[in-house]
Amino acid sequence: MSERQIQLEVLRYNPETDSEPRFQTYSVPCLNEWVVLDALNYVKDNLDTTLSYRWSCHMAVCGSCGMMVNGEPKLACKAFIHEYGDQIRVEPLANFPIERDLVTVVEDFIAKLASVKPYLIPKEDKPVSAGEFKQTPAQLLTFKQYTLCINCMLCYAACPQYGLVPEFIGPAAIALAHRYNQDSRDGGRDERQEVIASHEGVWECSFVGACSEVCPKHVDPAGALQQVKVASTIDWYKEHLMPWVKK
Amino acid sequence: MEIIKTDVAIVGAGGAGLRAAIALAEADPKLRIALVSKVYPMRSHTCAAEGGAAGVIKSDDSLDLHFNDTVGGGDWLCDQDAVEYFINEAPKELIQLEHWGCPWSREPNGSVAVRPFGGMKIKRTWFAADKSGFHILHTLFQTSLKYPSIQRFDEYYVTDLLVDDGRCQGFTALEIRSGEMRQFQAGAVIIAAGGAGRMFPFTTNGAIKTGDGMALAYRAGAPLKDMEFVQYHPTGLPNNGILLTEGCRGEGGILLNKHGRRYLQDYGMGPETPVGQPVLKTMELGPRDRLSQSFWHEQQKGNTVSTRWGDCVLLDMRHLGEKKINERLPFVRDLSISYLGMDPVKEPIPIRPVVHYCMGGIHTDIKAATPLPGLFAAGECACVSINGANRLGSNSLTELLVFGRRAALSAIDHLQSGLPASKDAVLAAQAQDSAGRIQALFDKNGGTESISGLRSEMMHTMEEGAGIYRTGEGLAATCEKLAELRQRYAGIEIHDKSRVYNTDLMQALELGSMLDCAEAAAVGARDRQESRGAHQRLDFTARDDQKFLKHSLAYYHPKEPARIEYLDVVITKSQPGVRDYSGAKK
């Protein structure tokens, strides 16, 4: 197995001792099939036990290890060493405050996720004893893509608008709201629209599309945002120009 | 130290913890619920489960069939009253999840689809493509946001249970972000903190699966049950252990040795079935223990394929075609291409068995109650036991739901039993002791042992002595090594002296948990002189119902090895028989 010496430049910041972040470079012998996370684990196990970062599944589904790799938001467990040169720079996810080293403060994201009521608000009440709701594969397909979000927050790190306007609810949360709005079992769209069709909601998006480009799960939050915008516009016309038409 | 007073505190916010929290919130909105986890809920390892969740829903299926598959699959070590409760509740829980929005895969008519799984006689595995655990976890997490009474404490590491007056009354936890200790007082505690697969070097388990919940209960006096039963999943990617779901074989994937032979027919799972037409409960749809053991034999015979990642066999899915693979196994394709550079549509994928699941765990009764009053457990960290000596694929996701809810109901019963007031001073003193142990780790300088060094020695000795096939000699060596490592653990030093998000400290605590769990598993395995399910001894090759139709219970001692006692298995209607996975008579 071919091995390559990588200079891993890692942003370090300890709020107890550092006035500002700095970079520390580690020389790491990497196998070509490794991912950046493997290199970080090598550092942690062999070179420097004080380095802090989040990780768990190592298979791009738990969403823990989002970070900037050479300036781009990536999952460290899916950023392959062979796609980079001999120098790799690793920083915490952009647009989030740094807690410590590569660990960011994510409370804002969690609160935004919760704010869009990301749960089924059933159209009809049905006891469990009455069995499942029917949903055809075609109905499932209308929202399936938006269920695939792993909450890794890469889209927030890529979003220029979230960087400028921190109140913006942001791509993943809006995509999740859209996911439930599109679900044939759901009747909660009006409740969610109050949050996501607001100024801090979809209208803040400038449709750069960076969110969809960096999404490791191909959720396409930009697509969801546009669909919500269109739907909100129709709501507005119905409400203001055709008040006799009920939504 | 800040004190957080709650009615029920839950350790772990994966599938079982979230299900318990929701059940508590629904039962009584006035209950104060603390959901405490070392990671944000959606990072929990439930997310990595791929294949699906078993529950009887179709008209060709029956509860009896699910019962028989589970009990036989577990080599008769399951408690049959628990299995009966489990299979009865399973369909309700899966429908409940559907009502909460889980995007289950569907039949053309809109009803929930089911797929075949290993060891199951009927198709009964509900699935959401090949990301079932992920969708279950996110559905539960998102649903939990509806309930204001569920107060989350994300990224808190629980260090010790508080036990006074003979009952569990809370725990101490470290807020990882600040490094500060907190005391949680609770009328009841539910542990739902997952398994301990990380005590092995090659595992499907994420970094967080370090047996912390098991160790918490164990150290507080609750025994660990059947820890010697560790499941190897037969199909992991050889370079990093990433799981390729049993759904690969359920959909029709086949296993080949280096001669292109479907070798499972040589290990009592034949005759060969037509390619692309899987037959339930035979060949590739045999149970995981048998499949992993067959790999070992093929390796001994020199029939495995040599790869740069070691010996493998081949999982061939090419005949399924691109369309079916994309629809049913998209994640498997993505993982194979990304991490191995091989596309299952175009070529067979080299795979080998990989540590996947702990059948054993915190001893609970059928109501998810541990022997320590006030302490309940559910999910992989618990041993009810419905999984016996070998869990059937797709029973564990359902188990999270059924026993997560059950633990919540039992916790409520416990609260209503009229608990005497807590002695705050006693709990405070215990909490101070716990904080003192953490402080001592910080204060210590000049340690002689490295955390990663001890961890790798532990993993190595577990693989050496407590792998797919075991011997008395090998296990004795592993037990001795683990006793040594537990001693040497006292020599570790935390180099990171910062309070803020100190992962050096986390890894030290996690290593301590794993060492305790590993020792319980190795001692249990050494003393179980028979072969049953996932526990296979080369020196005791037969199942011995006379002596070992029993659960092992490991009791903790801080310095001595685990003390093992035995408990009879609950048999209600299925007497131990022969596990027959040959298709011949069917």
Side-chain angles (χ1 to χ4, degrees):
Chain A
M1 275 180 256
S2 56
E3 199 179 287
R4 196 153 58 105
Q5 205 71 23
I6 299 287
Q7 301 306 308
L8 196 65
E9 266 187 279
V10 184
L11 183 136
R12 301 299 310 271
Y13 175 65
N14 179 347
E16 293 185 322
T17 53
D18 300 337
S19 54
E20 57 185 44
R22 62 196 158 84
F23 281 94
Q24 184 166 358
T25 303
Y26 302 96
S27 188
V28 183
C30 292
L31 295 179
N32 231 353
E33 65 186 48
W34 274 14
V35 289
V36 168
L37 176 60
D38 295 319
L40 289 169
N41 285 341
Y42 182 91
V43 172
K44 182 82 174 166
D45 289 350
N46 300 286
L47 305 176
D48 186 350
T49 63
T50 68
L51 179 64
S52 275
Y53 51 98
R54 294 186 179 104
W55 74 286
S56 179
C57 76
H58 200 293
M59 58 190 282
V61 70
C62 80
S64 303
C65 67
M67 48 189 80
M68 307 300 284
V69 180
N70 281 357
E72 277 181 278
K74 291 275 183 190
L75 294 177
C77 72
K78 226 186 169 185
F80 292 90
I81 296 285
H82 64 75
E83 289 173 5
Y84 296 92
D86 292 343
Q87 195 143 357
I88 301 176
R89 175 177 275 219
V90 186
E91 300 162 87
L93 268 189
N95 296 338
F96 292 93
I98 305 175
E99 180 88 69
R100 160 94 193 259
D101 298 341
L102 300 171
V103 177
T104 54
V105 182
V106 302
E107 260 66 26
D108 183 56
F109 168 73
I110 301 286
K112 282 176 174 157
L113 205 62
S115 75
V116 302
K117 304 194 175 181
Y119 38 80
L120 201 82
I121 300 172
K123 230 185 249 172
E124 47 170 321
D125 273 335
K126 186 171 175 175
V128 165
S129 57
E132 83 246 49
F133 290 102
K134 298 282 185 205
Q135 183 169 66
T136 64
Q139 287 173 320
L140 174 61
L141 207 60
T142 61
F143 69 93
K144 181 75 206 241
Q145 184 179 10
Y146 305 117
T147 65
L148 299 177
C149 171
I150 60 172
N151 299 170
C152 66
M153 303 174 291
L154 299 196
C155 55
Y156 285 72
C159 174
Q161 210 55 17
Y162 182 62
L164 290 170
V165 185
E167 295 76 27
F168 177 37
I169 293 173
I174 290 173
L176 188 60
H178 188 57
R179 168 253 177 276
Y180 280 102
N181 287 347
Q182 296 298 106
D183 192 318
S184 57
R185 298 164 290 185
D186 187 83
R189 179 168 171 269
D190 288 353
E191 287 184 47
R192 284 183 210 102
Q193 287 302 93
E194 286 168 25
V195 185
I196 62 169
S198 65
H199 182 63
E200 292 77 26
V202 281
W203 299 108
E204 207 50 76
C205 165
S206 53
F207 202 42
V208 176
C211 49
S212 292
E213 271 172 42
V214 299
C215 178
K217 294 287 148 181
H218 313 294
V219 172
D220 191 17
L225 275 150
Q226 286 318 295
Q227 289 181 31
V228 174
K229 275 189 191 179
V230 170
S232 306
T233 306
I234 292 171
D235 283 352
W236 189 89
Y237 276 108
K238 278 186 184 166
E239 205 170 311
H240 292 85
L241 302 180
M242 301 184 284
W244 60 90
V245 180
K246 289 214 166 101
K247 275 193 282 180
Chain B
M1 190 184 311
E2 189 188 330
I3 298 174
I4 295 142
K5 294 198 178 195
T6 68
D7 293 308
V8 183
I10 303 167
V11 186
L18 285 164
R19 183 66 188 90
I22 294 170
L24 289 163
E26 287 204 322
D28 180 358
K30 291 192 296 297
L31 279 179
R32 297 166 301 171
I33 305 154
L35 184 57
V36 184
S37 171
K38 68 176 179 177
V39 293
Y40 283 89
M42 60 284 199
R43 313 302 183 212
S44 308
H45 201 63
T46 305
C47 73
E50 296 171 9
V56 172
I57 183 84
K58 299 295 180 188
S59 55
D60 62 347
D61 202 357
S62 76
L63 296 175
D64 275 347
L65 287 171
H66 193 187
F67 177 92
N68 289 337
D69 286 344
T70 301
V71 171
D75 217 349
W76 279 271
L77 196 71
C78 315
D79 282 335
Q80 295 180 12
D81 54 348
V83 173
E84 187 123 23
Y85 177 77
F86 167 70
I87 52 149
N88 270 310
E89 294 299 307
K92 292 180 229 168
E93 282 299 312
L94 297 178
I95 292 169
Q96 175 65 79
L97 214 55
E98 196 278 330
H99 286 198
W100 284 335
C102 189
W104 295 118
S105 293
R106 303 283 178 158
E107 311 265 16
N109 71 1
S111 62
V112 166
V114 287
R115 67 163 36 136
F117 240 62
M120 301 279 193
K121 200 181 169 71
I122 298 278
K123 289 200 277 184
R124 67 167 67 94
T125 298
W126 302 41
F127 61 101
D130 55 357
K131 298 182 181 172
S132 309
F134 165 80
H135 286 301
I136 288 175
L137 180 69
H138 281 252
T139 299
L140 287 169
F141 170 57
Q142 289 157 15
T143 300
S144 79
L145 298 170
K146 273 201 297 201
Y147 302 96
S149 61
I150 300 174
Q151 193 182 358
R152 285 208 325 274
F153 295 85
D154 299 328
E155 299 196 324
Y156 280 68
Y157 183 92
V158 177
T159 56
D160 290 285
L161 295 180
L162 301 175
V163 181
D164 181 41
D165 199 18
R167 61 191 169 92
C168 182
Q169 301 188 28
F171 46 76
T172 46
L174 186 81
E175 185 186 30
I176 298 173
R177 186 172 171 181
S178 67
E180 283 175 26
M181 292 292 283
R182 308 264 188 261
Q183 185 196 140
F184 286 78
Q185 286 190 11
V189 171
I190 298 171
I191 300 184
R198 280 267 154 186
M199 57 195 180
F200 287 84
F202 189 62
T203 173
T204 61
N205 285 195
I208 59 176
K209 297 279 300 285
T210 52
D212 309 286
M214 294 176 179
L216 269 180
Y218 185 42
R219 291 170 190 159
L224 297 181
K225 181 162 76 185
D226 294 339
M227 285 294 283
E228 58 270 35
F229 296 96
V230 176
Q231 178 165 81
Y232 277 77
H233 194 292
T235 59
L237 289 184
N239 51 344
N240 49 26
I242 287 176
L243 170 72
L244 298 189
T245 171
E246 197 158 298
C248 297
R249 286 169 282 124
E251 298 298 341
I254 54 172
L255 291 174
L256 304 171
N257 67 14
K258 77 171 178 193
H259 307 297
R261 179 173 172 81
R262 288 171 70 193
Y263 59 91
L264 295 176
Q265 62 189 293
D266 302 328
Y267 300 97
M269 285 174 276
E272 199 171 340
T273 51
V275 171
Q277 298 167 39
V279 176
L280 288 147
K281 233 174 158 175
T282 183
M283 287 299 288
E284 282 82 4
L285 291 179
R288 290 175 180 174
D289 56 339
R290 291 283 171 85
L291 264 64
S292 294
Q293 289 150 17
S294 304
F295 170 89
W296 185 90
H297 289 290
E298 286 293 287
Q299 193 177 29
Q300 299 297 306
K301 292 179 189 167
N303 287 342
T304 43
V305 181
S306 294
T307 74
R308 57 201 173 103
W309 310 287
D311 294 337
C312 291
V313 288
L314 300 171
L315 173 60
D316 194 347
M317 293 176 267
R318 287 174 297 178
H319 51 279
L320 303 182
E322 186 166 8
K323 186 169 174 283
K324 188 164 188 183
I325 289 178
N326 285 347
E327 184 203 322
R328 294 290 178 96
L329 303 163
F331 195 32
V332 162
R333 189 178 185 194
D334 174 24
L335 291 168
S336 305
I337 293 173
S338 298
Y339 291 101
L340 207 59
M342 299 178 83
D343 184 350
V345 169
K346 297 183 186 137
E347 56 205 317
I349 305 297
I351 49 94
R352 64 185 173 109
V354 52
V355 166
H356 185 54
Y357 185 86
C358 296
M359 267 72 74
I362 304 163
H363 172 41
T364 77
D365 64 13
I366 184 173
K367 295 178 173 174
T370 75
L372 177 60
L375 184 66
F376 305 85
E380 191 181 350
C381 71
C383 183
V384 177
S385 142
I386 63 150
N387 298 312
N390 171 63
R391 174 175 71 81
L392 288 191
S394 74
N395 268 349
S396 69
L397 284 175
T398 313
E399 181 184 5
L400 301 175
L401 305 166
V402 170
F403 289 98
R405 174 175 168 275
R406 180 66 254 197
L409 301 182
S410 296
I412 292 173
D413 286 346
H414 179 71
L415 294 179
Q416 290 170 346
S417 66
L419 300 174
S422 295
K423 298 186 202 92
D424 285 355
V426 177
L427 298 183
Q430 284 186 22
Q432 278 310 326
D433 281 353
S434 178
R437 281 192 289 278
I438 302 291
Q439 185 58 44
L441 280 170
F442 275 108
D443 293 343
K444 184 167 170 200
N445 286 308
T448 50
E449 301 288 350
S450 86
I451 294 163
S452 62
L454 287 186
R455 192 171 55 213
S456 103
E457 285 187 52
M458 168 193 68
M459 289 173 169
H460 181 72
T461 195
M462 287 304 280
E463 188 173 53
E464 273 297 290
I468 298 178
Y469 276 92
R470 303 155 169 190
T471 64
E473 203 181 340
L475 284 163
T478 294
C479 289
E480 207 171 305
K481 182 72 184 178
L482 289 168
E484 173 205 314
L485 294 176
R486 282 181 77 205
Q487 269 187 354
R488 284 166 56 195
Y489 179 75
I492 59 163
E493 179 190 346
I494 310 294
H495 296 281
D496 185 350
K497 303 295 183 190
S498 170
R499 293 282 164 182
V500 178
Y501 219 98
N502 187 329
T503 49
D504 200 11
L505 173 63
M506 287 303 109
Q507 291 195 350
L509 298 173
E510 290 170 338
L511 173 62
S513 299
M514 285 190 286
L515 282 171
D516 287 348
C517 293
E519 209 211 22
V523 172
R526 184 196 63 199
D527 291 1
R528 186 176 284 275
Q529 297 183 334
E530 64 157 355
S531 288
R532 183 187 297 272
H535 172 70
Q536 291 292 314
R537 292 275 298 253
L538 293 169
D539 45 353
F540 296 93
T541 53
R543 194 176 77 194
D544 184 348
D545 290 329
Q546 213 66 31
K547 282 195 200 147
F548 289 108
L549 187 57
K550 290 175 192 310
H551 300 293
S552 68
L553 295 177
Y555 288 87
Y556 176 79
H557 189 285
K559 295 209 167 62
E560 304 290 317
R563 174 173 54 84
I564 304 287
E565 292 183 5
Y566 292 93
L567 178 71
D568 285 343
V569 171
V570 177
I571 306 273
T572 56
K573 57 185 186 189
S574 173
Q575 290 304 316
V578 177
R579 297 172 75 202
D580 182 8
Y581 295 102
S582 79
K585 306 192 297 295
K586 287 165 193 163

